[in-house]
Amino acid sequence: MSNEANLSDYDRDKIAKQALVKETLAVHCTAGSPFEEIRAIASALARSEDVRLSNLSGGYTNYTYKIAVGEEGDEETKVFAKLCFPRAFWNPDPDYVYDTNRIVNEKIMLESFAKLANGCAAKPYMLIDLEDDMKILITGWAPGDEQLAK
C-alpha cells in the first residue's frame, strides 16, 4: 500500500496544490522579470537548483507559501506566494463558491500602500490566473510574521 493511499483528502489536495504552484513558478518566473527575486528563481530553475516551496498556512480558501533559493535558514532569495481558490475544502456544499477576486483586491491594496507609504507592505510581483478560477499572488518577502504587511 502506497503512502498516498494513507493520506486524507485534505493532504492530497494540499500536495496537489503545492505541485500546481511549483509548475506555475517554472512557467512564470523568467529571466526578463523586472523583479530581482523572480529573476533569481528563474535562474535557479534553469540551473536545476532546488527551489523550495514550504507551506506556511492555509487550506480553508487559500494556501500561503515561502518560496526560497539557497540553503535553508540562509536563503539567498525568498518570496511569498498565496494560492487562492473558490472552494473551501471544509465546506461540503458544492454550490458555495468563494470569490477569488479577493486576491485581486489584495494586490491592488498592496500597490496602493507602496505609493502611499513605500516599505509598509510587501511588494506585489505577479498575480497569475490558473485553472478552475484559482489565482496566485506572488510578493516580496516581508521580514515580519505577517507576510503582506509590517
Side-chain angles (χ1 to χ4, degrees), residues 38-102:
I38 301 300
R39 290 192 307 269
I41 291 169
S43 178
L45 289 168
R47 293 188 312 266
S48 297
E49 288 182 22
D50 186 32
V51 174
R52 288 185 321 284
L53 193 143
S54 307
N55 279 75
L56 297 174
S57 67
Y60 296 112
T61 55
N62 61 258
Y63 284 109
T64 59
Y65 306 95
K66 173 182 168 184
I67 300 164
V69 176
E71 295 296 320
E72 191 163 351
D74 189 29
E75 295 93 351
E76 55 195 59
T77 301
K78 292 185 277 194
V79 297
F80 174 81
K82 183 175 186 178
L83 173 65
C84 175
F85 37 92
R87 291 272 310 124
F89 191 83
W90 54 267
N91 188 342
D93 182 352
D95 297 322
Y96 196 90
V97 176
Y98 295 85
D99 186 358
T100 57
N101 278 328
R102 67 188 184 274

Side-chain angles (χ1 to χ4, degrees), residues 105-123:
N105 294 332
E106 286 181 38
K107 181 177 184 278
I108 290 168
M109 288 187 303
L110 290 172
E111 290 168 337
S112 296
F113 295 154
K115 290 176 187 168
L116 294 171
N118 194 19
C120 76
K123 184 173 189 162

Side-chain angles (χ1 to χ4, degrees), residues 22-35:
K22 286 181 180 181
E23 292 166 13
T24 302
L25 286 174
V27 171
H28 291 277
C29 289
T30 65
S33 172
F35 306 109

